[in-house]
Amino acid sequence: MAVRTPLPGLVPILAVDRRSSQPLGRQLYEAYREAIVDGRIRAGQPLPSTRTLASELGVSRIVVVGAFEQLQAEGYVESRPGAGTFASRTLPEDALQTPEPPRPGPRRPRKVAKLPRLEGTHPEPWSEGFGPFRMSQPALDRFPFQTWGRLSARHAKNPKRALLAYGDPQGYPPLREALAGYLRISRGVRCTPEQIMVVSGSQQGLDLCARVLLEPGSEVWFEEPGYSGARNAFRLAGARLVPVPVDAEGLDVARGEALGPRARAAYVTPSHQYPLGMTLSAGRRLQLLDWAQRTGAWLLEDDYDSEYRYESQPIAALQGLDRAQRVIYLGTFSKVLYPALRLGYLVLPPELVEPFRRVRDATDIFPATFHQAVLTDFITEGHFARHLRRMKLLYRERRTALVAALQPLLSEGYQILGDQAGMHLVLALPRGKRDRQVAERAAQLGIRAMPLSETYLGRATRQGLVLGYGATPAPRMREAVERLAQAIQSPP
Amino acid sequence: MAVRTPLPGLVPILAVDRRSSQPLGRQLYEAYREAIVDGRIRAGQPLPSTRTLASELGVSRIVVVGAFEQLQAEGYVESRPGAGTFASRTLPEDALQTPEPPRPGPRRPRKVAKLPRLEGTHPEPWSEGFGPFRMSQPALDRFPFQTWGRLSARHAKNPKRALLAYGDPQGYPPLREALAGYLRISRGVRCTPEQIMVVSGSQQGLDLCARVLLEPGSEVWFEEPGYSGARNAFRLAGARLVPVPVDAEGLDVARGEALGPRARAAYVTPSHQYPLGMTLSAGRRLQLLDWAQRTGAWLLEDDYDSEYRYESQPIAALQGLDRAQRVIYLGTFSKVLYPALRLGYLVLPPELVEPFRRVRDATDIFPATFHQAVLTDFITEGHFARHLRRMKLLYRERRTALVAALQPLLSEGYQILGDQAGMHLVLALPRGKRDRQVAERAAQLGIRAMPLSETYLGRATRQGLVLGYGATPAPRMREAVERLAQAIQSPP
């Protein structure tokens, strides 16, 4: 196999080329190893003496001795004092022959696990590139790189040993301290730093929840429509997904009780339902907490974008209303900072801290420390609050521009949903329009609009387009909507 | 709840203190919300008009309107035009009462998953602090921070959008390209970048292997003694662990076939057995590959520290001998760079790439990008090769100093094992000594020696101390060994 990208300074081990500048010792080693493995040199067959070989090849004997020592260290040859070197006898004869085809047997085990069907793991036309309306894209160009870079440099230059060694499975303690303060003040979450676990994005948080809480066959309520990433995490743990419809007040708790009375958990997005954007009403919140308390179920509150709320103050988290320690709160920095940071967090009821620590240790031990330390400074020095304020103004401006650009469509049976918060809204399509078709045509025009129907677990009862506006500047909104309208109106 | 760490700039949402500098509007909102949730204000009960309340409290009416709008947005109150504001009727009466104790039912579901017994998740005296001989600690003070910091600054200042947005579940493509080159040249691994998956340390690699390959009850061979982290990852997937003894040639394949003939996978450390340090012989390698090919089993080759080999060239990987695509190769940067980086990699047989991508997507989507980009530069600009060479000299010096310091013990029945490679060796204890007792006494003297018996899944057939020497300078070795000897010789 030829080496395509020679890397400076690395000692080659296998690049076999007799005309190359390879050290002869290495080539010798290679040649003998291959010959022994191929069976060209049989077990017990003597090798020439190092003296002979060196003289024959016209190289230093040291080179040959080195190659033979290597072969011996690896067990390909044996050296008998006074007798010389021999191809090893401990190589099993049959293993050296040309491999036979695998024998089919009656009890041949299945080779890989039977994986559940997972959604969205293949690229779709609306999840590629950086075109307008692509979901989950924050305004990366507005990220304060100067500040972030300065804080990064501070930690990169003179790192403390604790920042380099193995760390705590719950994450860097100063970050957990800062997060607890932020969550208490800004999100109405009641917790101590000891309840926080830093994770590699909220997806890892969901995966850990599924693994600690569920067993194969456990029922879990999911908002319908809802977030496929959460469904995937729970499917992987063998959960039975129970889709529970949402209405104007969010998750229909009574329907949930009818559909999955023995569910072990419910996954909800109370601040800004994903994808429809309504807020879980106070009544439903209390109903949900009551259900959880009565049945011992867990509530997974995914608060993925509640920092950005445009018409009122941020909605207090469900977690803060919970008196019975049933809520696991999930947050992420993918939206408020950037996705490739891979930082999120869980707020755990105290009784769950220990099992989560154990599973995390077996899963990936602990989260990378460097950016946890940078983020701690970013929060405690006030940059985070400043960034959130700036981004809220920016996204409000983008939201308003998008809503304005969509106005002409509203008289034709289109409807805007969930534009009070976050970084996306839904444009519900009038009867007869198929969202998947529209999204595919839009993608051909460079517009990335996700079909609402893709977010349903069951049959989609509504057709629409989920429009992310985080990464689309306000002045570009009108033109982007025009292209979208073109895709909507062109004949199928 | 008092706010312990006020964070600059964040808008408070719940800090309830009537004497605080909280905006009155916020306090109003809080007070009404609490009263409605507590049931002090009943559903349908009218609230005072905003005019009345404003005049009564002597505040601007705008403040009161703001608080009521917030209460309405969250569903705690309803506004009827011309009639005023009322506590919401949609709050279910029963949810508002004092919570009743959970009713015990006959089919009350279990609340969390039954987790397997996991090893080493509680801190042990030998896994705390930075004392001499602690395992898995590289020479962090010799890490080239200047260079690493310079490369980091380069990427932090002007990041490309692709470094911030969602990335590939297999990792950053330029890093995979660089890794494929490094592995081909230096480790004898045959692969393309498309077979590589970057993971958050080798523990995540093991976890992914377990989840893709196994089902509950699947048998897996483990070297005995062996690495508890790998055992934990496989236990979590419900594997039945089959301990297979190692001898001077490494894993005893024939014993494996007798003990677990239908095993779906085998976990091995061929270059430097963990913890005993022998090399899997060429004969055993071929036997193992033959078994895998015959039965369809997978071989997980954990090559955790093979870069550092002192008596001969690095041993070529098992993966490079595999003609049947049965080997999954795992590597990590925790030892050669630093643990808190959380970067490792898998080399997958082509048929496994797709299922690994799907599971990874559901697990944590993709690895953080920043340090992947820094590491790419570190490798392609030759710093990595230079660092490896320096570290190899350094660890050889430390190893030699440790072996020299241990000499006086060897005449008393002690034995040194596995000192040809890596960053640890084993000091086997003479009959009658209990390694756990010795390790606990050593910890009291600040020495972190891991008991060999802890690395056995079954009954330990050998007592010894696993001594990491990566972080202990050569001149300190004699004194550290003296303290260790003191712990060994003090009466139990």
Side-chain angles (χ1 to χ4, degrees):
Chain A
M1 179 176 291
V3 174
R4 280 191 292 175
T5 344
L7 294 172
L10 295 170
V11 183
I13 201 173
L14 263 188
V16 178
D17 184 344
R18 285 252 151 216
R19 296 149 305 178
S20 81
S21 56
Q22 282 271 76
L24 204 59
R26 162 65 44 189
Q27 292 183 40
L28 261 176
Y29 158 81
E30 297 269 349
Y32 274 102
R33 195 188 67 155
E34 295 258 322
I36 291 166
V37 170
D38 290 345
R40 281 177 284 143
I41 299 176
R42 302 197 151 265
Q45 192 175 323
L47 271 59
S49 78
T50 54
R51 193 181 305 273
T52 311
L53 202 57
S55 120
E56 202 153 293
L57 296 169
V59 296
S60 151
R61 198 177 150 209
I62 291 174
V63 169
V64 182
V65 169
F68 278 28
E69 277 175 0
Q70 178 76 8
L71 289 163
Q72 192 178 339
E74 298 188 20
Y76 292 99
V77 304
E78 294 163 359
S79 168
R80 283 172 239 151
T85 305
F86 303 83
S88 186
R89 282 185 194 281
T90 62
L91 295 178
E93 273 290 328
D94 57 349
L96 297 172
Q97 304 312 313
T98 320
E100 14 169 343
R103 301 168 206 157
R107 288 178 60 98
R108 193 78 187 284
R110 187 162 62 218
K111 284 182 189 154
V112 297
K114 184 167 154 37
L115 294 176
R117 191 180 67 85
L118 298 172
E119 299 172 67
T121 55
H122 290 281
E124 298 276 14
W126 49 85
S127 60
E128 287 172 336
F130 291 98
F133 306 142
R134 186 166 160 202
M135 280 295 285
S136 307
Q137 298 286 345
L140 297 176
D141 52 328
R142 300 301 185 92
F143 186 74
F145 294 114
Q146 286 296 106
T147 307
W148 190 258
R150 188 166 46 77
L151 300 180
S152 300
R154 185 195 291 172
H155 288 283
K157 252 185 289 175
N158 278 308
K160 293 179 210 134
R161 188 158 54 171
L163 292 186
L164 302 172
Y166 282 93
D168 192 292
Q170 284 181 252
Y172 186 57
L175 176 59
R176 289 192 271 138
E177 184 77 39
L179 280 174
Y182 160 65
L183 291 170
R184 261 192 312 256
I185 298 172
S186 290
R187 306 290 314 112
V189 169
R190 296 165 203 247
C191 72
T192 65
E194 291 71 33
Q195 289 173 261
I196 293 180
M197 175 171 276
V198 178
V199 289
S200 305
S202 56
Q203 190 69 31
Q204 192 191 28
L206 292 166
D207 183 46
L208 289 171
C209 286
R211 297 179 83 170
V212 172
L213 305 179
L214 304 190
E215 281 151 318
S218 296
E219 286 185 356
V220 182
W221 295 2
F222 277 84
E223 294 166 333
E224 175 79 337
Y227 178 49
S228 65
R231 291 196 293 251
N232 282 346
F234 283 82
R235 276 193 184 101
L236 209 53
R240 209 169 74 68
L241 310 190
V242 179
V244 178
V246 297
D247 59 21
E249 289 191 67
L251 185 90
D252 188 336
V253 180
R255 287 290 299 280
E257 291 214 59
L259 293 166
R262 278 193 289 280
R264 188 177 286 194
Y267 170 81
V268 283
T269 51
S271 302
H272 188 225
Q273 202 272 335
Y274 184 96
L276 291 174
M278 72 284 287
T279 300
L280 189 65
S281 74
R284 293 282 173 81
R285 281 169 198 244
L286 296 172
Q287 233 183 317
L288 195 58
L289 289 167
D290 176 65
W291 168 73
Q293 192 173 357
R294 269 189 289 115
T295 63
W298 301 103
L299 303 178
L300 310 179
E301 177 177 26
D302 190 347
D303 209 12
Y304 63 104
D305 72 357
S306 65
E307 284 88 354
Y308 303 133
R309 188 150 200 99
Y310 309 120
E311 310 304 332
S312 57
Q313 289 292 315
I315 304 281
L318 188 61
Q319 198 267 8
L321 291 174
D322 175 22
R323 300 287 181 271
Q325 309 275 21
R326 306 316 304 163
V327 175
I328 297 163
Y329 178 89
L330 286 101
T332 176
F333 289 100
S334 295
K335 311 283 180 293
V336 293
L337 299 177
Y338 59 92
L341 185 59
R342 307 315 296 131
L343 281 177
Y345 47 89
L346 293 171
V347 179
L348 301 168
E351 67 176 295
L352 291 183
V353 170
E354 191 49 38
F356 270 77
R357 283 181 69 92
R358 276 190 283 145
V359 169
R360 213 285 160 75
D361 181 76
T363 299
D364 69 351
I365 312 185
F366 73 110
T369 313
F370 182 80
H371 280 123
Q372 293 189 74
V374 174
L375 179 54
T376 306
D377 290 356
F378 194 73
I379 295 173
T380 56
E381 294 178 15
H383 308 297
F384 183 53
R386 211 157 22 244
H387 177 61
L388 283 182
R389 274 199 301 275
R390 283 206 199 104
M391 290 298 104
K392 185 170 160 178
L393 291 176
L394 182 76
Y395 294 139
R396 179 156 63 190
E397 186 199 2
R398 291 180 175 185
R399 191 269 323 239
T400 305
L402 175 56
V403 169
L406 292 171
Q407 289 308 310
L409 289 167
L410 301 190
S411 56
E412 300 169 38
Y414 294 80
Q415 204 188 339
I416 294 171
L417 305 172
D419 62 327
Q420 298 83 5
M423 292 158 50
H424 76 265
L425 55 75
V426 172
L427 180 69
L429 299 181
R431 217 169 273 279
K433 294 277 180 198
R434 308 302 300 170
D435 55 13
R436 211 188 147 95
Q437 280 174 6
V438 172
E440 280 165 0
R441 284 198 300 266
Q444 287 164 10
L445 302 173
I447 300 291
R448 312 292 160 186
M450 183 171 79
L452 178 61
S453 61
E454 292 287 306
T455 66
Y456 282 82
L457 180 60
R459 202 178 60 79
T461 53
R462 206 154 186 176
Q463 299 283 312
L465 299 169
V466 190
L467 305 179
Y469 50 79
T472 311
R476 286 195 58 200
M477 220 54 99
R478 188 162 301 274
E479 188 268 333
V481 168
E482 275 163 17
R483 273 195 280 164
L484 182 65
Q486 205 181 319
I488 292 176
Q489 275 136 23
S490 72
Chain B
M1 180 177 289
V3 173
R4 279 192 293 174
T5 344
L7 294 172
L10 294 170
V11 183
I13 199 173
L14 264 188
V16 178
D17 185 342
R18 286 250 149 217
R19 296 150 305 179
S20 82
S21 56
Q22 280 272 77
L24 202 59
R26 162 66 44 191
Q27 291 183 39
L28 260 176
Y29 158 81
E30 297 270 349
Y32 274 101
R33 195 187 69 155
E34 295 258 322
I36 291 165
V37 169
D38 289 344
R40 279 178 285 141
I41 299 176
R42 302 196 151 265
Q45 191 176 322
L47 271 59
S49 79
T50 54
R51 192 181 305 273
T52 310
L53 202 56
S55 121
E56 202 152 295
L57 295 169
V59 296
S60 152
R61 195 175 152 211
I62 292 174
V63 168
V64 181
V65 169
F68 278 28
E69 277 175 1
Q70 178 75 10
L71 288 162
Q72 191 178 340
E74 298 188 20
Y76 292 100
V77 304
E78 294 163 359
S79 168
R80 283 173 239 149
T85 306
F86 302 82
S88 187
R89 282 185 194 281
T90 63
L91 294 178
E93 274 290 329
D94 58 348
L96 297 173
Q97 303 311 314
T98 319
E100 15 170 344
R103 302 170 207 157
R107 287 177 61 98
R108 191 81 186 281
R110 187 163 61 219
K111 284 183 188 154
V112 298
K114 186 169 153 35
L115 294 175
R117 192 181 67 84
L118 299 171
E119 300 171 67
T121 55
H122 290 280
E124 297 276 14
W126 49 86
S127 60
E128 288 172 334
F130 291 98
F133 306 142
R134 186 165 159 201
M135 280 296 285
S136 307
Q137 298 286 347
L140 298 175
D141 52 328
R142 299 300 186 94
F143 186 75
F145 294 114
Q146 285 295 108
T147 307
W148 189 258
R150 187 165 48 76
L151 300 179
S152 300
R154 185 195 290 171
H155 289 283
K157 252 186 288 176
N158 278 306
K160 293 178 210 135
R161 189 157 53 171
L163 291 187
L164 301 172
Y166 282 93
D168 192 292
Q170 284 182 252
Y172 185 57
L175 176 59
R176 289 192 271 137
E177 184 76 39
L179 280 175
Y182 160 65
L183 291 170
R184 261 192 312 258
I185 299 171
S186 290
R187 306 291 312 114
V189 169
R190 296 164 202 247
C191 71
T192 66
E194 292 71 33
Q195 289 172 260
I196 292 180
M197 174 170 278
V198 178
V199 289
S200 305
S202 56
Q203 189 68 31
Q204 192 191 29
L206 292 166
D207 183 47
L208 289 170
C209 287
R211 297 180 82 170
V212 172
L213 305 178
L214 303 191
E215 281 152 320
S218 295
E219 286 185 355
V220 183
W221 295 3
F222 277 83
E223 294 165 334
E224 176 79 338
Y227 177 49
S228 64
R231 291 196 294 250
N232 282 345
F234 283 80
R235 277 194 184 100
L236 209 52
R240 209 169 74 67
L241 310 189
V242 180
V244 178
V246 297
D247 59 22
E249 290 191 65
L251 185 91
D252 187 336
V253 180
R255 285 292 300 279
E257 292 215 58
L259 293 166
R262 277 192 289 281
R264 187 177 287 195
Y267 170 82
V268 283
T269 51
S271 301
H272 188 225
Q273 202 272 335
Y274 184 95
L276 291 173
M278 72 283 287
T279 302
L280 189 66
S281 73
R284 292 281 172 82
R285 281 169 197 246
L286 296 171
Q287 234 183 316
L288 195 57
L289 288 166
D290 176 66
W291 168 73
Q293 190 171 358
R294 269 188 288 115
T295 63
W298 301 104
L299 303 178
L300 310 180
E301 177 177 26
D302 190 347
D303 210 13
Y304 64 102
D305 73 355
S306 65
E307 285 87 354
Y308 303 133
R309 190 151 198 98
Y310 309 119
E311 311 304 332
S312 57
Q313 288 292 314
I315 305 283
L318 188 62
Q319 197 267 8
L321 290 173
D322 175 23
R323 300 288 180 270
Q325 310 275 22
R326 306 315 304 164
V327 175
I328 297 164
Y329 178 89
L330 287 103
T332 176
F333 289 100
S334 295
K335 311 282 180 293
V336 292
L337 299 178
Y338 59 92
L341 185 59
R342 307 315 296 133
L343 281 177
Y345 46 88
L346 293 170
V347 179
L348 301 168
E351 66 175 295
L352 291 184
V353 170
E354 191 50 38
F356 270 77
R357 283 181 69 92
R358 277 189 282 145
V359 170
R360 213 283 160 76
D361 181 75
T363 300
D364 69 352
I365 312 185
F366 74 110
T369 313
F370 182 80
H371 279 123
Q372 293 189 72
V374 174
L375 179 54
T376 306
D377 291 357
F378 193 73
I379 295 172
T380 57
E381 295 177 15
H383 307 297
F384 183 53
R386 209 154 27 241
H387 177 61
L388 284 181
R389 274 199 302 274
R390 282 206 199 106
M391 289 299 105
K392 186 170 159 177
L393 291 178
L394 181 76
Y395 295 140
R396 179 155 62 190
E397 186 199 1
R398 292 180 175 185
R399 191 268 322 237
T400 306
L402 174 56
V403 169
L406 292 170
Q407 288 308 308
L409 289 167
L410 301 190
S411 56
E412 300 168 37
Y414 294 81
Q415 204 187 341
I416 294 171
L417 305 172
D419 62 327
Q420 299 84 7
M423 292 158 50
H424 77 265
L425 55 75
V426 172
L427 180 68
L429 300 182
R431 217 171 274 279
K433 294 276 180 196
R434 308 302 299 170
D435 55 14
R436 212 188 145 95
Q437 280 174 6
V438 172
E440 280 164 1
R441 284 199 300 265
Q444 287 163 9
L445 302 173
I447 300 291
R448 312 292 160 183
M450 183 171 78
L452 178 61
S453 60
E454 292 287 305
T455 66
Y456 282 82
L457 179 60
R459 202 179 60 78
T461 53
R462 207 153 183 177
Q463 300 282 312
L465 299 169
V466 190
L467 305 179
Y469 50 80
T472 311
R476 285 194 58 198
M477 219 55 98
R478 187 163 302 277
E479 189 268 332
V481 168
E482 275 163 17
R483 272 195 280 164
L484 182 65
Q486 203 182 321
I488 292 175
Q489 275 137 21
S490 71

